[in-house]
Amino acid sequence: MVLKDKLVLAYSGGLDTSVMVKWLGEKYGYDVITLTLDLGQREDIKEIERRALSIGSIKHYSIDAKEEFVKEYIFKAIKANALYQNKYPLGTALARPLIASKLVEIANKEGAKAVAHGCTGKGNDQVRFEVTIRALNPNLKIIAPVREWNMSRDEEINYALEKGIDIKPSKSQYSVDQNLWGRSIEGGDLEDPSLEPKEDVFEWVILPERASDKAEYVKIGFEKGLPFKLNDEEKGGVELIEELNVIAGRNGVGIIDHVEDRLVGIKSREVYEYPAALCLIEAHKELEKLVLSRSELNFKGLVEREWAWLVYSGLWIEPLMKDLQAFIDSTQAKVEGYITLKLYKGSMRIVARESKNSLYNYSLATYKEGSSFDQRDAEGFIKLWGLSSTLAYNRGV
Ligand code: ARG
């Protein structure tokens, strides 16, 4: 008997990757090994494993990567206040290099010749997967069946029925990707950006108009730029994010609805539910404003924009990422303290902040008696501050 080459498939348990298990065997003659990571996507990992094996995967790996996802990816994103186009907290984008690195790890361990993923040719995820895979092991062949097979959704369902593939019946018209950091939703009616999303889009966040009439406070404690306390209780990252997702979600906080520029040049309408992410980034930013200097804040803003762009565009392995990270980390030693958020029917507002490293100086700032700020100094300051601009303005050209 001739031994078949092995291929490792990033298996989500959905229709595309389920059809793929069979298709890769038939079309390319591979023995297909499947891999599923638990990234906090709130799905039954055991059930996914069972399905993969029932379809014909010769071996399945389930890896709980939640801790690694938080420590190596989400925590960096918090320190970088990472929001692509000032809106999207990058949950899907951050998970891809991690999944890709596990694919390569398992492929190397199994002596596989190829890896495969379920991304389409229109999105960002294909880029994120393939750049990382190629960097980590350039010898692996990469197969993206969805780019090749040209099947519509109905054709895929027929193929699955024909081959006896056990598919999870999905009532949803949307394409969803979710993990601990948030839920990304595309497709269906959302493809018309002039229409308000229907209520069935949302699973993690209640509509603000249905949220409680009573405001809820959350206090977040940070150490070295990272959250470690929720309402005065110490928590590990995974637990803290899971809990905050629930708290913010029940107050209608965390919905993002915007038009986004994809890497491949398409503008696309994206809806997101990122309750914990939005709260943590907002709180972290506010704490930084309290403890970092004006110049540090300005420059960090530039670095953050670049950091988010590299992550979005799939360049996690780009050496500049490490350089930017070194700068970001060096600013974080001082980022320590507490931020209180008030959540109310979809709004989130910072109402209190404290830090032992605070640069806020009451005696300088106060309008009351006894301020240490000598207002007479302002006159000379203004003359010199405006000197160059005033000179140029009055040349009149
Ligand atoms: N637009 C986002 C990104 O590129 C989310 C993609 C979500 N993927 C999905 N299958 N719904 O990161």
Side-chain angles (χ1 to χ4, degrees):
M1 188 184 111
V2 207
L3 274 183
K4 292 188 192 169
D5 282 339
K6 293 186 207 164
L7 169 145
V8 187
L9 166 68
Y11 183 70
S12 71
L15 174 66
D16 289 338
T17 53
S18 294
V19 166
M20 243 166 249
V21 175
K22 268 265 164 357
W23 189 87
L24 285 161
E26 286 188 348
K27 169 105 201 262
Y28 285 100
Y30 284 113
D31 265 345
V32 177
I33 296 170
T34 41
L35 164 69
T36 306
L37 300 195
D38 183 355
L39 296 170
Q41 63 267 48
R42 307 188 188 178
E43 273 181 289
D44 186 344
I45 299 294
K46 277 268 151 301
E47 164 62 20
I48 292 176
E49 168 158 3
R50 194 200 55 72
R51 192 174 315 135
L53 294 171
S54 83
I55 296 168
S57 158
I58 62 153
K59 188 169 179 182
H60 183 85
Y61 286 86
S62 296
I63 301 179
D64 182 350
K66 291 197 289 291
E67 286 292 335
E68 188 174 352
F69 187 40
V70 169
K71 294 229 156 64
E72 300 300 325
Y73 298 83
I74 294 178
F75 274 1
K76 288 179 181 165
I78 294 174
K79 292 197 246 182
N81 298 319
L83 294 173
Y84 175 62
Q85 296 189 317
N86 286 321
K87 286 278 196 177
Y88 163 44
L90 293 163
T92 301
L94 286 163
R96 294 302 173 269
L98 173 56
I99 301 171
S101 70
K102 298 291 176 207
L103 263 184
V104 172
E105 198 180 303
I106 300 298
N108 292 345
K109 184 172 151 198
E110 290 284 345
K113 292 276 189 300
V115 292
H117 61 71
C119 308
T120 74
K122 288 183 141 184
N124 301 309
D125 287 337
Q126 52 176 346
V127 182
R128 298 167 182 152
F129 273 131
E130 293 180 29
V131 168
T132 301
I133 293 164
R134 201 153 271 137
L136 300 181
N137 183 349
N139 298 320
L140 282 170
K141 182 176 162 70
I142 303 171
I143 303 181
V146 180
R147 288 198 304 235
E148 287 180 32
W149 68 29
N150 246 322
M151 278 193 266
S152 68
R153 201 181 155 77
D154 286 342
E155 284 165 340
E156 279 186 58
I157 293 172
N158 283 338
Y159 181 94
L161 292 175
E162 216 173 276
K163 305 284 171 190
I165 299 171
D166 162 27
I167 47 171
K168 193 174 79 180
S170 159
K171 311 149 275 148
S172 170
Q173 52 163 320
Y174 309 108
S175 156
V176 177
D177 176 67
Q178 62 189 40
N179 59 46
L180 193 60
W181 201 221
R183 188 163 179 269
S184 308
I185 312 121
E186 301 173 329
D189 296 341
L190 298 175
E191 288 178 357
D192 184 344
S194 74
L195 296 180
E196 179 177 353
K198 294 210 185 86
E199 198 167 349
D200 67 355
V201 169
F202 305 106
E203 285 188 8
W204 290 18
V205 182
I206 189 170
L207 281 187
E209 54 268 42
R210 296 194 203 291
S212 155
D213 287 329
K214 213 169 151 280
E216 186 168 356
Y217 292 89
V218 223
K219 185 173 169 193
I220 304 168
F222 288 89
E223 215 170 43
K224 296 207 174 76
L226 295 176
F228 78 111
K229 268 190 186 172
L230 194 61
N231 294 330
D232 291 321
E233 235 184 280
E234 256 185 66
K235 303 256 179 222
V238 174
E239 197 192 350
L240 189 146
I241 293 166
E242 274 172 350
E243 268 181 46
L244 191 51
N245 269 329
V246 173
I247 297 173
R250 71 178 169 228
N251 285 287
V253 169
I255 296 174
I256 300 151
D257 178 345
H258 84 145
V259 170
E260 181 175 296
D261 282 290
R262 284 197 200 151
L263 193 52
V264 294
I266 299 172
K267 281 194 190 290
S268 92
R269 199 288 186 82
E270 307 273 331
V271 173
Y272 298 106
E273 294 179 275
Y274 278 71
L278 290 189
C279 291
L280 288 170
I281 291 173
E282 187 69 9
H284 179 261
K285 268 192 198 166
E286 182 69 11
L287 186 55
E288 285 186 329
K289 283 202 277 175
L290 200 61
V291 303
L292 298 184
S293 74
R294 180 169 61 188
S295 295
E296 281 179 305
L297 287 170
N298 272 338
F299 190 73
K300 188 164 182 285
L302 302 176
V303 171
E304 288 170 357
R305 209 181 132 116
E306 189 63 24
W307 195 97
W309 166 246
L310 291 176
V311 171
Y312 187 81
S313 64
L315 298 180
W316 184 262
I317 50 85
E318 158 63 48
L320 178 59
M321 281 295 288
K322 279 215 169 74
D323 305 328
L324 299 181
Q325 201 63 53
F327 167 77
I328 292 171
D329 284 342
S330 125
T331 61
Q332 296 300 295
K334 303 174 268 221
V335 183
E336 189 168 328
Y338 293 89
I339 299 290
T340 306
L341 302 169
K342 184 172 185 175
L343 311 176
Y344 177 67
K345 282 187 169 295
S347 82
M348 177 239 304
R349 184 157 60 89
I350 285 157
V351 291
R353 63 291 273 159
E354 50 192 288
S355 170
K356 68 177 179 40
N357 301 325
S358 173
L359 300 176
Y360 179 89
N361 184 314
Y362 176 82
S363 143
L364 282 175
T366 185
Y367 285 111
K368 298 191 191 116
E369 236 171 88
S371 170
S372 59
F373 187 91
D374 187 342
Q375 299 198 33
R376 285 166 304 190
D377 291 344
E379 189 185 343
F381 165 75
I382 295 165
K383 281 186 191 152
L384 297 186
W385 167 248
L387 183 59
S388 141
S389 301
T390 308
L391 262 176
Y393 179 81
N394 285 319
R395 286 294 292 252
V397 212

